[in-house]
Amino acid sequence: MTGRPGRTGRSGSQAGAGDLLELVRSGRAVTRGALQQATGLSRATVGQRLDRLFRAGWLREGAGGPVGSPLGGRPAVTLEFDDSHAVVLVADLDTRHARAAVLTLTGEILAEHAGALAIEDGPETVLGELGRRFAGLLEKSGRPAAGVCGIGLAVPGPVDGETGRVVQPPIMPGWDGYDIRGRLSRAFTEHTGAPAVPVLVDNDANLMAYGEQRAGYPDCRAFVLVKVSTGIGAGVVVDGSLYRGADGGAGDIGHIRVGADALCRCGSHGCLAAVASGGAVARRLAESGVPASSGSDVRDLLAAGHPQAAALAREAGRRVGDVLATVVTLLNPGVLMIAGDLAGTSFLTGVRELLYQRALPRSTAHLDVVTSRLGERAALIGAGALVVEHLYAPARAEERLTAMGV
């Protein structure tokens, strides 16, 4: 989990310890001499700023040995972000299950748990249970609760980035406008006895996109991930940052009308999710006598080579590909990633058929259509990256260092 690409710190006397940390984390300056050049600060001032970061435990001298200094003289010792001083708790909620983990600050999974958890049970119950699972994962990882610096949560609905509350979520009954941050923070404290920590909440497709882009495509300027599971949603990363829209509704392509008659869970007719999601495919299979009730059931049938499931998945892919032709023409991404329960050969074949047929050749000339690399852990990795980049961004890092008294 490195700093966001393209960001620059302040220069001259305005550059604080947080700016130096950002330069080291991003790899743009990893020696004292390079930091002097990047900021224009004197050697003594750079030393003072770095001393704060060393005392906080956020930086350490690198294990790779000295390197040539841009200012000449003796070889310079490299600096690196010390990811051992804290951990992050993350969770990914789906409609029927949840995955939770303890991560290092650089995204390594230390402990993980996946199990049933019905989102329809409501936020009070679900978030309380997450707090209990977090406590168990910390014990399993051997890390103290006092070492947790933040919590990241992925949810299957649109999220207002300012408040962390979901906004009219079609598949999250009882969650609209609920204070997720406050409840999860309290649940963490109740089950661990540790002080409250910052909680960040975002849409699951957003965090999947963030995790996949960071892990596999860091140089891609426009990255789109489409998750097709119980519902359909998309996450968009532009120039290293999530694009959320005016109030968190960007990427909600599952509710684009496609001219069908099917009733969607949002209450409208003809939404893409009503005819092409994992839930929609499961419903059609069930109507023909094949036992299936969810996207995960369809995924299992596809893995077993079920011919009817494969045919319906391909048909669903064609419907999604028709909509994605517009998305690709509008955003001109370099990578379009298909993820979720239906992200297999049959569905991907259908997507490509309609996408390349309907989109302008100019829009697809440099487009890679791929499937997920991180799989079911993508949202966890994305949630962890979001927390780390929030807590160690220059201004926030300065605030935290001051609060720590260093």
Side-chain angles (χ1 to χ4, degrees), residues 168-179:
Q168 299 177 355
I171 59 174
M172 298 177 69
W175 290 73
D176 186 21
Y178 185 85
D179 181 16

Side-chain angles (χ1 to χ4, degrees), residues 232 258-261 270-272 274-277 284 313-325 347 350-351 354:
I232 300 176
V258 293
D261 235 3
C271 294
L272 179 65
V275 295
S277 65
R284 291 187 63 182
R314 183 168 179 171
E315 180 184 334
R318 288 173 58 85
R319 286 187 175 272
V320 173
D322 196 11
V323 170
L324 289 179
F347 185 85
V351 167
L354 263 288

Side-chain angles (χ1 to χ4, degrees), residues 13-92:
S13 61
Q14 291 183 323
D19 296 295
L20 270 59
L21 179 68
E22 177 75 5
L23 289 167
V24 173
R25 288 187 62 240
S26 66
R28 297 200 300 275
V30 296
T31 66
R32 288 168 174 82
L35 290 169
Q36 285 178 246
Q37 281 200 324
T39 62
L41 294 174
S42 69
R43 180 178 178 179
T45 303
V46 166
Q48 291 169 358
R49 303 280 199 267
L50 291 178
D51 183 59
R52 297 180 68 197
L53 297 171
F54 281 120
R55 283 187 285 140
W58 294 2
L59 279 189
R60 65 188 172 201
E61 293 187 344
V67 297
S69 169
L71 300 182
R74 293 181 302 173
V77 175
T78 59
L79 303 169
E80 62 185 29
F81 183 56
D82 188 343
D83 71 340
S84 66
H85 70 271
V87 293
V88 178
L89 296 174
V90 292
D92 178 18

Side-chain angles (χ1 to χ4, degrees), residues 214-363:
R214 285 293 188 274
Y217 303 89
D219 298 323
C220 181
R221 294 187 59 191
F223 179 95
V224 176
L225 177 143
V226 178
K227 178 187 178 184
V228 186
S229 291
T230 300
I232 300 176
V236 180
V237 181
V238 177
D239 288 334
S241 297
L242 278 168
Y243 178 74
R244 298 181 176 89
D247 61 2
D252 202 5
I253 65 171
H255 300 287
I256 292 175
R257 305 292 176 83
V258 293
D261 235 3
L263 177 64
C264 182
R265 295 181 67 171
C266 74
S268 298
H269 286 81
C271 294
L272 179 65
V275 295
S277 65
V281 172
R283 185 168 57 251
R284 291 187 63 182
L285 287 168
E287 289 170 354
S288 65
V290 179
S293 61
S294 66
S296 59
D297 291 337
V298 178
R299 178 192 62 208
D300 294 341
L301 289 168
L302 291 171
H306 193 284
Q308 189 176 356
L312 290 174
R314 183 168 179 171
E315 180 184 334
R318 288 173 58 85
R319 286 187 175 272
V320 173
D322 196 11
V323 170
L324 289 179
T326 301
V327 173
V328 165
T329 301
L330 177 65
L331 296 178
N332 187 211
V335 174
L336 171 63
M337 178 174 284
I338 307 299
D341 292 330
L342 264 61
T345 301
S346 299
F347 185 85
L348 194 63
T349 298
V351 167
R352 285 179 167 145
E353 285 175 356
L354 263 288
L355 173 62
Y356 288 107
Q357 176 183 327
R358 300 291 171 84
L360 292 172
R362 171 71 181 81
S363 301

